[in-house]
Amino acid sequence: MVSAPANEHYFLGIDGGGSKCRASLAEAEGCVLGSALAGPANPLHGLEQTLHSIESAACRALEDAGLPPSALARLVVGAGLAGVNLPSLYKAIRDWPHPFASLYLTTDLRVACLGAHQRDDGAVIVTGTGSCGYVRTDGTDLLVGGHGFPCGDQGSGAWMGLEAIKAVLLASDALGPPTALTESLAEQLQARGVAIVERMAGRASSEYAKLAPLVFSAAESGDSVALRIVEDGASYISEMARKLLAYGPVALALIGGMAERLTPWLASDIAAQLTPPKGPPEEGALLFARQQHALV
Amino acid sequence: MVSAPANEHYFLGIDGGGSKCRASLAEAEGCVLGSALAGPANPLHGLEQTLHSIESAACRALEDAGLPPSALARLVVGAGLAGVNLPSLYKAIRDWPHPFASLYLTTDLRVACLGAHQRDDGAVIVTGTGSCGYVRTDGTDLLVGGHGFPCGDQGSGAWMGLEAIKAVLLASDALGPPTALTESLAEQLQARGVAIVERMAGRASSEYAKLAPLVFSAAESGDSVALRIVEDGASYISEMARKLLAYGPVALALIGGMAERLTPWLASDIAAQLTPPKGPPEEGALLFARQQHALV
């Protein structure tokens, strides 16, 4: 076996999101060498944190692969980040004096789609901390939703958590119907009424998203307030799917932390058209790094 | 005329809110000497800013009255602040090494009620940047709502602004009905679609509240999306009023920057029971300072 030349590149795929970022490291030939997890990488919620998370994930992936930190300079990085559809954030990250050989930047949606379908077209809906839809056909792509917390992202974990808190606070004033969410939120947050506000003040959307499983559980037990939240969220995701399918993508996948529990609540004709994802977003980010590097 | 002794107290009333704080300065005998305006004083959105705004308002009120800065130490201050119903914030402000002779602290709602009715009972609903209800009967008081942005404060300016942005973003994806708010928000924010998100990211609730007049205008022109927002907000405020009136207060006043435009949208039986406020909240804060000082 001939050892790789010292100037050979490695490829690193980064999938950044509001709660965490995942990295996957591979050789030029394609063999995956290591993977890693780091902190939040949604530049809309903190640019410094995002850059720090990307660099941490890269260092940890090198360590996982048994490679020295000096190999950072040999990484061809493909990063899919939430929020870079905003021009100012895209530019801010492009201007970062990163420690890599090169950094190719795109949205978390594009790498999710690449990972899910293992090809450069198709459609995905990501429902995790946030929600967003993406479709790519004939080299043209379209984003739907993804407006973030608290202005958009209906059907996402953070949106469900916020709706649950709103409902519990209304119930605490007897200005809204009673709900089983009052007890389940009290247990998880160790707070009731106005203390919930204090507990959540200034918290990131990922903290709100931690409440989403309680909303599903209450809805599954028939709580009418929780049912209304889950049904409203699912209805938004179904309409988003309908809009994406109208572009005629080769396939549509529903991915992210909320996908499994949300699927049974979608319109049945939509649920029937979903394709299971072939690979995770960080695999899509690796494909993106290779693809962009080949174009140079 | 005998000049006041050097150690005589002056009284200062402070009404703090999410957008600004107002101060009113008076002699021991009751004559108002000066007034002032300073920055935001909602400790939930920034403790340092709040303390800074209170001190600025006090200094400016002294200047307005032609008194020297050294008179700060002769001020008996009554401050009504949003957010101090939260125990941790109440304590944080109580622990402040303030420059005054004394500082008596209560909620913005209590001073609003004192100012509106010129007596220590009654009820008020404040609808400005936020919304909150308050009733005081027989020395017992009750707060309703006031859970802040974005978890509560239905019917407030910030809530209306957020709902308007949500509706415009849904319309921009054709996942919600078209609305005249798209054009009016575009003109005021100089932004459309995803650029609105970028424009508003991390902004204070007072920035969202600046959009509320556009929602009223669109509703008054018959825009169905704006109508739904104004009607939902007014319905919440009507229900809050109904709850406060059930405690049998001597009077109920609707005050704050949204009061005038919101009143025609309230349930007619509720609108008929509203009493015009006799004085502003900072006058209530002055009364509170005198009242508490007399108890010492």
Side-chain angles (χ1 to χ4, degrees), chain A residues 44 85-89 143-152 154 159 162-163 165-167 169-170 172-175 193-195 197-198 200-201 208 236 239-240 243, chain B residues 44 85-89 143-152 154 159 162-163 165-167 169-170 172-175 193-195 197-198 200-201 208 236 239-240 243:
Chain A
L44 191 58
N85 49 322
L86 302 178
S88 66
L89 290 179
L143 282 172
V144 182
H147 295 126
F149 180 85
C151 293
Q154 286 83 346
W159 176 87
L162 177 60
E163 292 301 307
I165 288 173
K166 285 161 80 171
L169 292 173
L170 284 174
S172 76
D173 277 337
L175 290 174
V194 74
V197 176
E198 195 167 11
M200 298 305 289
Y208 286 83
Y236 172 82
E239 288 312 304
M240 178 186 273
K243 196 173 157 72
Chain B
L44 192 59
N85 50 323
L86 302 177
S88 66
L89 289 179
L143 282 172
V144 182
H147 296 124
F149 180 85
C151 293
Q154 286 83 348
W159 176 87
L162 177 60
E163 292 301 306
I165 288 173
K166 286 161 79 169
L169 292 173
L170 284 174
S172 76
D173 277 337
L175 290 173
V194 74
V197 176
E198 194 168 10
M200 299 304 291
Y208 286 83
Y236 172 81
E239 287 311 305
M240 178 186 273
K243 196 174 157 71

Side-chain angles (χ1 to χ4, degrees), chain B residues 18-286:
Chain B
S19 308
K20 55 187 175 298
C21 93
R22 288 181 187 279
S24 185
L25 178 70
E27 294 185 295
E29 289 74 26
C31 182
V32 171
L33 300 173
S35 65
L37 201 63
N42 181 338
L44 192 59
H45 300 151
L47 182 62
E48 286 307 313
Q49 167 74 66
T50 297
L51 303 179
H52 177 74
S53 295
I54 292 173
E55 200 164 335
S56 291
C59 292
R60 289 175 194 173
L62 287 175
E63 198 182 327
D64 188 48
L67 290 167
S70 62
L72 270 183
R74 291 165 66 192
L75 294 180
V76 174
V77 180
L81 302 181
V84 300
N85 50 323
L86 302 177
S88 66
L89 289 179
Y90 184 84
K91 192 179 173 303
I93 297 173
R94 288 308 307 245
D95 292 348
W96 175 35
H98 62 76
F100 312 121
S102 43
L103 172 64
Y104 300 107
L105 197 60
T106 188
T107 62
D108 54 339
L109 275 294
R110 180 147 177 218
V111 304
C113 193
L114 263 164
H117 306 303
Q118 305 280 314
R119 55 185 285 179
D120 202 16
D121 53 5
V124 283
I125 296 177
V126 184
T127 54
T129 299
S131 71
C132 194
Y134 175 83
V135 58
R136 187 173 177 93
T137 47
D138 304 323
T140 304
D141 51 13
L142 176 81
L143 282 172
V144 182
H147 296 124
F149 180 85
C151 293
D153 288 15
Q154 286 83 348
S156 69
W159 176 87
M160 274 198 194
L162 177 60
E163 292 301 306
I165 288 173
K166 286 161 79 169
V168 165
L169 292 173
L170 284 174
S172 76
D173 277 337
L175 290 173
T179 165
L181 292 169
T182 297
E183 289 310 314
S184 52
L185 263 70
E187 195 177 323
Q188 180 151 336
L189 297 175
Q190 291 293 303
R192 287 177 186 275
V194 74
I196 296 176
V197 176
E198 194 168 10
R199 174 86 175 63
M200 299 304 291
R203 293 298 174 103
S205 56
S206 53
E207 291 294 313
Y208 286 83
K210 287 178 183 166
L211 304 175
L214 306 178
V215 185
F216 279 115
S217 296
E220 284 152 12
S221 305
D223 180 76
S224 62
V225 169
L227 272 169
R228 200 258 312 146
I229 296 173
V230 172
E231 285 170 355
D232 280 2
S235 159
Y236 172 81
I237 299 296
S238 292
E239 287 311 305
M240 178 186 273
R242 227 175 280 287
K243 196 174 157 71
L244 297 174
L245 288 167
Y247 288 85
V250 291
L252 168 65
L254 183 66
I255 61 175
M258 302 273 290
E260 194 179 331
R261 288 191 91 169
L262 199 59
T263 302
W265 297 91
L266 298 179
S268 55
D269 65 310
I270 294 296
Q273 290 179 75
L274 296 177
T275 303
K278 289 182 178 153
E282 62 271 25
E283 207 174 301
L286 253 180

Side-chain angles (χ1 to χ4, degrees), chain A residues 179-190:
Chain A
T179 165
L181 291 169
T182 296
E183 289 310 313
S184 53
L185 262 69
E187 195 177 323
Q188 181 151 335
L189 297 175
Q190 292 293 304

Side-chain angles (χ1 to χ4, degrees), chain A residues 225-283:
Chain A
V225 169
L227 272 169
R228 201 259 311 148
I229 296 173
V230 172
E231 285 170 356
D232 280 2
S235 158
Y236 172 82
I237 299 296
S238 291
E239 288 312 304
M240 178 186 273
R242 225 175 281 287
K243 196 173 157 72
L244 297 174
L245 288 167
Y247 288 84
V250 290
L252 169 64
L254 183 66
I255 61 175
M258 303 272 291
E260 194 180 332
R261 288 190 91 169
L262 199 59
T263 302
W265 297 91
L266 298 179
S268 55
D269 64 309
I270 295 296
Q273 291 179 75
L274 296 177
T275 303
K278 288 182 179 155
E282 62 271 25
E283 209 174 299

